[in-house]
Amino acid sequence: IKQHYKNRSLDSNSYCWLLISKIAEIIRSSKEEVYIEMLKRYGQREEQLISVIAEGVPAIMRATNNHCTEVGESWLNGKLFKHLAILIGSSQYDSKQMATLIDGIVSEAKELGIETMTPAEIQLLNESWGKHERNFI
């Protein structure tokens, strides 16, 4: 038996990418780079870390489409190892996780002067996503 969570809505995903696009335009970056940065700041990570010899980090970043972030480093037998957390893409998020991501993106957008939904509109979206429903399957 495991707990089942309601998946995020397509509306939440659309709003996420709309704000990411506007942020990218203002800071002159790509949507993908902004998306990864938002995942690092507000997203979910796999519980396990991976440790890679420092020279191997670029290969891991390519293999994961940059869905990693460095969280530490250590030396072993005279070699530098980097500790990486794997970022979980938003397509895997439940409603609660997606709401957290969007709250962070909204905050970033506001700091850049980007018009966002009103708090009431965001609350309505959050309510439409629902608080994760607990169904056991």
Side-chain angles (χ1 to χ4, degrees):
I1 298 176
K2 65 180 182 176
Q3 196 167 3
H4 173 74
Y5 292 98
K6 181 181 176 186
N7 289 333
R8 66 194 172 88
S9 72
L10 290 179
D11 288 339
S12 63
N13 191 50
S14 297
Y15 190 54
C16 171
W17 281 101
L18 173 71
L19 292 178
I20 285 172
S21 296
K22 289 180 178 184
I23 291 169
E25 186 177 317
I26 287 177
I27 67 171
R28 297 181 182 188
S29 184
S30 72
K31 292 184 290 187
E32 292 75 21
E33 289 172 334
V34 173
Y35 172 67
I36 294 296
E37 191 58 37
M38 296 300 105
L39 289 181
K40 288 178 183 179
R41 293 180 188 176
Y42 308 108
Q44 303 295 309
R45 300 175 178 179
E46 295 289 347
E47 289 182 27
Q48 302 81 11
L49 300 177
I50 58 173
S51 296
V52 179
I53 196 159
E55 294 81 16
V57 171
I60 297 297
M61 296 303 255
R62 281 191 307 274
T64 62
N65 291 321
N66 294 314
H67 278 72
C68 291
T69 187
E70 186 178 326
V71 294
E73 63 183 34
S74 60
W75 290 88
L76 180 64
N77 297 327
K79 295 183 181 181
L80 179 63
F81 283 79
K82 302 284 184 167
H83 309 302
L84 305 173
I86 305 293
L87 303 171
I88 300 172
S90 63
S91 64
Q92 302 297 313
Y93 288 7
D94 63 28
S95 298
K96 183 178 179 183
Q97 293 166 331
M98 193 66 175
T100 300
L101 177 64
I102 289 178
D103 286 346
I105 295 170
V106 165
S107 173
E108 300 265 342
K110 284 180 179 179
E111 287 181 19
L112 293 170
I114 296 169
E115 186 176 337
T116 64
M117 291 181 169
T118 66
E121 291 170 324
I122 292 172
Q123 182 179 351
L124 285 174
L125 269 181
N126 284 333
E127 288 171 5
S128 74
W129 298 326
K131 295 179 180 163
H132 58 279
E133 295 178 3
R134 295 179 186 189
N135 298 322
F136 293 92
I137 50 177

